[in-house]
Each structure stands twice: as C-alpha cells, then as structure tokens.
Amino acid sequence: MTNKTKQTSQDPHPFATKVGAKAARKLKAKRNATPGVWFGLGMMGLIGWSVVVPTLLGTALGLWLDQRYPGGRSWTLALLVAGLTLGCFNAWYWVVKEDQAMRNEQEDNDE
C-alpha cells in the first residue's frame, strides 16, 4: 500500500478538509480582528512613557537631593541612570508580556 493510498483511506476528502480548516481560520481571524496601526503606535507610546516617566522622576528627585544636600556626589546623575535602568526594565517587561499574548493568540488561532 502506498503512502497516497494510506492517506486516502484515512481521510476520503483531504482537499475538502484543508479548505474547511482554512475557511474556519479566516472566519476566526475576522472575529478576532488583528490590531491595526493605531494599536502599534499606542504600544510604542506606552513603551516610551514607561522609560521616560521613571527617568524624569529619578532626575527630579536627584535635583531635589542635590539642592538639599550639596556634596561631592551628583544625585541627579545617579538617579537619572537609575530611573533610566528601571524604565528600560519596565519597557522590556511590557514587550515580553505583549509578545507572549501574541504567541498565545497565534496558538489559539492555529488550533
């Protein structure tokens, strides 16, 4: 028995099954519309603000500390770097979270 005969004996209409599966995926994709350009721009804005806000807060706190407690160390520079680092980790968290959500959605669509 050849491979083609085995496939035919298992599924009498393999082409119809493939077409049906593709049609079902298209209908599911229409129901769960993919995010558009505005979603992407919004996500870029969210990631940008997640970096900017901690950086600005660290800088403001550093300026306040430098005015209150002048000394040889620059609190502004140290807290600016700390805020930037915290913001980058925050942005990384959001990107990983969205990537995982997209992967989960893709797996759901494939089933």
Side-chain angles (χ1 to χ4, degrees), residues 1-108:
M1 207 186 285
T2 65
N3 189 19
K4 193 172 186 177
T5 309
K6 284 181 184 178
Q7 193 176 33
T8 306
S9 65
Q10 291 174 351
D11 188 4
H13 306 288
F15 181 72
T17 304
K18 285 182 183 180
V19 170
K22 284 186 180 185
R25 269 185 279 169
K26 283 185 181 183
L27 288 173
K28 189 173 184 179
K30 278 188 177 182
R31 278 182 273 149
N32 303 330
T34 57
V37 174
W38 291 110
F39 176 79
L41 291 174
M43 187 55 61
M44 282 180 11
L46 175 72
I47 292 169
W49 281 110
S50 70
V51 174
V52 168
V53 170
T55 303
L56 291 178
L57 289 175
T59 303
L61 181 60
L63 286 170
W64 183 79
L65 285 172
D66 279 340
Q67 287 176 355
R68 296 277 186 222
Y69 307 104
R73 294 181 183 87
S74 172
W75 286 105
T76 304
L77 183 59
L79 291 177
L80 180 135
V81 171
L84 182 63
T85 303
L86 180 66
C88 288
F89 279 121
N90 195 15
W92 175 73
Y93 168 78
W94 280 103
V95 169
V96 167
K97 184 178 175 183
E98 281 299 313
D99 182 53
Q100 187 63 39
M102 288 189 312
R103 287 177 191 263
N104 290 342
E105 186 177 316
Q106 182 67 30
E107 287 174 4
D108 289 345

